[in-house]
Amino acid sequence: MSETTQETAKRGFGGNVLLKKNELIFFALNLLLVGPHILARYTPAGWALTGALLLVMFYFIVLKPDVNEPVLRNLPLMVCFDACIPLILAYQELMLGFTTDSLEYLLPVVRGKLPCIGLLAVGVALGVVKFKDPLLVWMKGLAKAIIGAAVILLLWSDGALPVPGFAGDSGLFFTAYLLCAAAWCVLCAMSYFLDSRVFQRNNWLSWLLLAVLFASFLTETRLVQEFFGILREWRMMWSSESLAWWKIAVLVGCAVAAYDFDYGRMGADSLFLGALAGGALVLRGLIDYSFPMWQALMAVYVVGSLCCLQNELRGIRTLRLTSPLYLAAQTAAGLLAVFLMHQGLWLMLVFLVLYGAVFYAAGGKMGAPVRQVMWWLIMLSFPPVLASAYLWQTTSHLQTDPYLMLAAAYVVLGLTVVTLNWPHPNRRISPGLYKWTVCGLMAVLSLLTAMS
């Protein structure tokens, strides 16, 4: 493939910062995220130190990397820099609140909490054992997450597993820690997928964050307990602030801006921003239409996004879709699942998943005449099956008339589809428009039956 004009310019300017589009986009988004917190905590020394830290971040995130290096590779480093900003802005409170009195109560507090000590031992063991790819980055991240969780349980819970009891808002803090630890593991995994050489750096950053967390627990106990209350207040308004519609729109716009139009590919940076916007949209839907075990849906979304990232790096499609189409389809499917589960229509969701798997597996493999008949019969059965599932969960099971009507319509229209696909003596083929018309008629009849 010949070099584009932009690629030639990149080489000619030797990596000019103005050509580092994605790096500047991520840095600007990061400023948008931490800016309000910086403005709200004004002190001359705090702002000076924070400005110096942002300059260092600008060097490592924007200036130092190569022009063609994905920003996603250095995202854990950016997050680590961000974690230092609140500590710098609150340096006076940290100095005033520093105490070592909690250390003498450490042993009495953890005494008798054998399950938590065992959990800590499991985390240490996972951190020592050597794993091979692709388990390496995941197991090391899991080990550190378990170690941090065990320490929190030892200090702030009654030590009972698997259902510990917490005092005050420490349980909310434990939940927030688990979410942050999961997000950190995913970030480190994506960074590792892009460049395995960053594993050691991310590993040391993980230990550093854990060390800062433990030091805060033992020497800044009062501030940590105050943070519990701040976390409770933030939970009341996080949906309207963190998931504001304009922020989702900004993420979508940045994903489009980070798209590699020269080569017609999404790239890791644009894909990450697009997946983040889609995930925020699904999470926003969960706020309004929640249901039990909704965490499983978000886990599926994250796994799907990671698979899409791996396929994007390999230059292949995901479920036969390009990365932008897959992310759009995944987000739409997530929103549909949220709506159906909130309405209690889990049976419809099950059939949607089953039919989706069948259509995907049969795609491009139904060219033979007999298979064509089967394909159209399966396609024709899709609307009445969904209508039957809807009726089963919304009406009395004693009403058999709607099911008989759907079955009769399927038999009649099924015979029509078989006739249209029957081999003609002159080898003439029935137009596909006729078959789609029959399926459309079946869909209309199914909808009218379900709504009656």
Side-chain angles (χ1 to χ4, degrees):
M1 180 180 296
S2 62
E3 292 184 342
T4 62
T5 304
Q6 183 177 355
E7 186 68 23
T8 304
K10 288 177 181 178
R11 293 189 177 186
F13 285 101
N16 191 307
V17 65
L18 295 178
L19 297 177
K20 296 186 175 182
K21 176 184 63 175
N22 293 0
E23 286 83 352
L24 292 173
I25 289 174
F26 272 80
F27 190 79
L29 283 175
N30 189 68
L31 283 181
L32 186 64
L33 177 67
V34 302
H37 181 70
I38 296 175
L39 294 176
R41 299 293 301 270
Y42 170 74
T43 59
W47 273 26
L49 293 174
T50 302
L53 180 67
L54 290 176
L55 288 177
V56 175
M57 182 194 299
F58 187 81
Y59 171 76
F60 281 103
I61 302 302
V62 180
L63 295 180
K64 185 178 180 181
D66 185 73
V67 175
N68 298 318
E69 186 175 290
V71 188
L72 194 56
R73 175 186 183 272
N74 300 313
L75 203 56
L77 181 61
M78 180 185 289
V79 173
C80 196
F81 275 121
D82 287 340
C84 297
I85 293 178
L87 301 179
I88 292 176
L89 293 174
Y91 75 96
Q92 292 180 338
E93 292 89 339
L94 292 175
M95 293 174 61
L96 293 175
F98 180 83
T99 179
T100 58
D101 295 342
S102 301
L103 296 177
E104 60 180 298
Y105 301 106
L106 181 61
L107 289 179
V109 167
V110 304
R111 185 177 299 162
K113 300 179 180 179
L114 293 179
C116 297
I117 296 176
L119 184 64
L120 179 62
V122 171
V124 173
L126 288 176
V128 173
V129 175
K130 295 183 178 180
F131 295 92
K132 295 182 179 180
D133 290 334
L135 289 178
L136 175 65
V137 64
W138 292 111
M139 298 309 295
K140 294 304 180 182
L142 179 62
K144 297 175 186 63
I146 291 177
I147 292 174
V151 171
I152 295 175
L153 291 173
L154 284 170
L155 296 177
W156 306 103
S157 77
D158 58 3
L161 292 179
V163 184
F166 293 92
D169 295 314
S170 56
L172 179 61
F173 175 76
F174 181 70
T175 303
Y177 166 79
L178 293 180
L179 293 175
C180 292
W184 176 259
C185 288
V186 172
L187 285 180
C188 291
M190 290 188 295
S191 177
Y192 181 79
F193 292 158
L194 292 168
D195 188 355
S196 60
R197 294 174 298 178
V198 301
F199 171 76
Q200 197 61 38
R201 184 186 70 184
N202 293 342
N203 187 49
W204 283 111
L205 290 177
S206 301
W207 286 119
L208 176 63
L209 291 176
L210 274 182
V212 171
L213 191 66
F214 298 162
S216 301
F217 289 160
L218 299 178
T219 61
E220 302 287 348
T221 307
R222 180 180 59 83
L223 291 179
V224 171
Q225 292 176 342
E226 290 179 359
F227 178 73
F228 293 168
I230 296 174
L231 194 62
R232 183 185 66 251
E233 296 176 359
W234 177 79
R235 186 184 63 173
M236 303 294 184
M237 61 183 75
W238 76 277
S239 60
S240 59
E241 291 188 356
S242 301
L243 297 177
W245 291 111
W246 69 268
K247 293 184 179 180
I248 298 176
V250 168
L251 286 175
V252 174
C254 290
V256 174
Y259 189 89
D260 190 351
F261 291 97
D262 286 340
Y263 295 99
R265 63 188 179 189
M266 197 167 193
D269 296 335
S270 177
L271 192 150
F272 172 77
L273 294 173
L276 196 61
L281 192 60
V282 173
L283 193 57
R284 180 85 191 202
L286 283 169
I287 296 173
D288 299 327
Y289 304 100
S290 186
F291 56 89
M293 299 300 293
W294 61 267
Q295 298 88 343
L297 177 61
M298 295 307 302
V300 171
Y301 185 92
V302 171
V303 171
S305 300
L306 289 175
C307 292
C308 185
L309 174 62
Q310 284 189 314
N311 292 334
E312 177 71 16
L313 297 178
R314 296 171 183 170
I316 60 178
R317 298 190 173 194
T318 305
L319 298 181
R320 304 192 187 105
L321 298 174
T322 60
S323 295
L325 288 178
Y326 173 80
L327 290 180
Q330 179 179 248
T331 303
L335 293 174
L336 179 61
V338 169
F339 175 75
L340 292 178
M341 290 299 295
H342 178 73
Q343 298 295 328
L345 303 175
W346 58 267
L347 191 57
M348 287 186 67
L349 182 60
V350 170
F351 280 118
L352 282 171
V353 173
L354 291 176
Y355 270 94
V358 170
F359 292 150
Y360 176 78
K365 302 177 182 178
M366 308 300 286
V370 177
R371 291 187 176 183
Q372 278 287 309
V373 175
M374 293 298 300
W375 168 263
W376 285 106
L377 288 177
I378 294 174
M379 183 74 70
L380 189 68
S381 69
F382 185 46
V385 167
L386 290 183
S388 299
Y390 175 79
L391 291 169
W392 183 264
Q393 293 192 277
T394 57
T395 61
S396 173
H397 296 172
L398 299 178
Q399 296 181 6
T400 59
D401 293 342
Y403 304 103
L404 294 176
M405 184 180 299
L406 290 173
Y410 179 75
V411 170
V412 174
L413 295 180
L415 291 175
T416 305
V417 166
V418 171
T419 303
L420 291 174
N421 283 277
W422 199 263
H424 194 274
N426 297 331
R427 297 183 178 179
R428 296 175 61 184
I429 300 177
S430 175
L433 178 62
Y434 296 169
K435 305 165 192 176
W436 283 112
T437 301
V438 174
C439 292
L441 181 60
M442 184 76 254
V444 172
L445 290 175
S446 300
L447 180 62
L448 294 176
T449 304
M451 299 303 295
S452 61

